[in-house]
Amino acid sequence: MDPGRVAACALVVENGWNELREGDLRVADLSELRRSLPIHEGAPRAIPKFRSIGSVSRKTSDLASHHPAYVGTPTKGGRLDREMISAFIARSAEMLLAADALRQGIGTGDLYSIPQDPDELDDEGNSAVEGRLLTRWALHRERNRGLCARKIAQATKLGLPLQCEVCDFDFRSIYGDLGTGYIEVHHRLPLHVSGPRETRLDDLAFLCANCHRMCHRSRAGESWRTPSALRAEIAKSAP
């Protein structure tokens, strides 16, 4: 889902679920933000009206007029708008934090240098409701070899096992020397909760490759889950 839609809906929420007119400076700022998103490649330069101030204002109208409490005739809108509205109604604080994290990442330039990652999309090519860029950013951070190495070194020094915190898988016990010292890491808090701050070792959980993928796997309304949430999923599916 377009992360710009996350930012647009955040503005509508902050505006009391009301649309924002073209003369509102917040609309101009959001237009510039949406045009600058790295997932759009050359479109802003090739299409002058791409994510224009007028189109952003109309998008806020779509989002405002499809809220369940709206009185009147809604604009055309679409499925993605309705999904975004539902996400903000169900998880307002979380989604507002997601929008803020996106703004910060784009403002600092951190998101521009991160390459695309196939895992930022689900099996059908859809992105999570928080947006492709947050998922891309999270995966990029977790694949930082230096960070993972420091987490493993800390556990080794403390005599803690290098095993998955969800399923207890131990690479060494299965693969012998080849698996010695190997494990993957996952942030206990997503970017939209922790914010784009420096990662602390206590922020990281040890996961096997399978559980790590399941923690990030996208499905309707979510793309990130904690190790404890994944354990709950496993418990629900157990016979």
Side-chain angles (χ1 to χ4, degrees), residues 7-22 24-27 30 57 60-61 63-64 67 88 92 96 103:
C9 200
L11 275 188
V12 172
V13 172
E14 292 165 356
N15 200 42
W17 281 103
N18 294 308
E19 65 178 337
L20 287 84
R21 301 293 187 177
E22 291 187 28
D24 194 312
L25 291 178
R26 293 172 294 177
V27 173
L30 181 53
S57 178
T60 67
S61 297
L63 293 164
H67 188 280
F88 268 91
S92 181
L96 287 171
R103 291 191 192 104

Side-chain angles (χ1 to χ4, degrees), residues 6 11 13 20-21 23 38 55 59 88 90 103 115 132 135 149 157 175 223:
V6 178
L11 275 188
V13 172
L20 287 84
R21 301 293 187 177
S55 69
K59 180 50 59 184
F88 268 91
R103 291 191 192 104
R132 286 170 54 186
T135 305
K157 182 178 180 180
Y175 299 106
S223 68

Side-chain angles (χ1 to χ4, degrees), residues 194-239:
S194 69
R197 61 173 170 77
E198 183 177 353
T199 299
R200 298 187 290 263
L201 294 183
D202 288 344
D203 294 335
L204 302 172
F206 285 138
L207 295 180
C208 69
N210 284 343
C211 288
H212 195 186
R213 186 66 180 266
M214 291 297 100
C215 276
H216 276 293
R217 187 163 190 242
S218 296
R219 65 181 179 183
E222 61 177 310
S223 68
W224 184 98
R225 51 196 60 84
T226 63
S228 59
L230 186 60
R231 283 196 297 272
E233 292 283 346
I234 294 173
K236 283 195 305 182
S237 65

